[in-house]
Amino acid sequence: MTGRRTPHLPSQEAELRTAAPFVPRLGDLAADTAHSGRVGVVVTLPGEDSATTYHLRPPGGGPTWSASADGSTLLPVPAQITHATLLPHRDAVYDPRTRQGSVPVVFHLSDGSTREGALVLAPAELERLHAETGRLLASHEKATGDRA
């Protein structure tokens, strides 16, 4: 990387004002910047039940708090990755120029959605993955009597 900022990077969306504004809906998770980024579930919307602000409650329960009616202090909480699986019908590749291997994967998120990506590995990480995979296969054979 050159260290130069490029306008297409996602981290610059707010700076460029290209991202759609976040308008929380009932049940959404939101981080409240006015409360040190505290995460809560939106339980009341402005104008609902004579509320003049958003009301949020911690995801596990607890006391509610208010956020401004314009939602300017609220940010969306992205779904978290739960696990990754190999992307079917795609081969891993090694790039001699960067001296890295790349394994195509599917990231599974907590909201049920998926995203394609890659596991990028340096030579030492490739060796570790090879050793770990061998260990897993040996455990599988011992447990089932099957050769994979």
Side-chain angles (χ1 to χ4, degrees), residues 92 101 103 119 121-139:
V103 180
L119 175 61
L121 303 160
E125 295 165 326
L126 287 168
E127 290 175 7
R128 181 175 168 211
L129 181 61
H130 178 74
E132 293 291 334
T133 304
R135 186 184 59 76
L136 289 172
L137 286 171
S139 294

Side-chain angles (χ1 to χ4, degrees), residues 2-143:
T2 63
R4 185 175 58 131
R5 295 176 66 125
T6 55
H8 64 279
L9 294 177
S11 62
Q12 293 176 299
E13 286 179 342
E15 181 181 306
L16 296 173
R17 303 285 183 233
T18 58
F22 176 55
V23 180
R25 297 179 299 179
L26 208 57
D28 282 352
L29 278 179
D32 189 352
T33 59
H35 288 91
S36 302
R38 186 176 179 192
V39 174
V41 178
V42 176
V43 294
T44 307
L45 301 172
E48 181 180 279
D49 298 331
S50 70
T52 58
T53 61
Y54 284 97
H55 292 154
L56 295 95
R57 178 174 291 133
T64 61
W65 76 91
S66 297
S68 71
D70 65 3
S72 61
T73 65
L74 300 178
L75 298 172
V77 176
Q80 299 297 304
I81 295 172
T82 60
H83 64 285
T85 56
L86 293 176
L87 189 61
H89 313 295
R90 298 271 303 275
D91 291 333
V93 295
Y94 182 77
D95 182 354
R97 184 181 53 81
T98 62
R99 296 183 178 163
Q100 294 178 327
S102 176
V103 180
V105 295
V106 176
F107 295 105
H108 300 263
L109 289 85
S110 58
D111 65 0
S113 65
T114 60
R115 301 282 186 275
E116 291 185 8
L119 175 61
V120 177
L121 303 160
E125 295 165 326
L126 287 168
E127 290 175 7
R128 181 175 168 211
L129 181 61
H130 178 74
E132 293 291 334
T133 304
R135 186 184 59 76
L136 289 172
L137 286 171
S139 294
H140 169 73
E141 289 175 14
K142 183 177 179 182

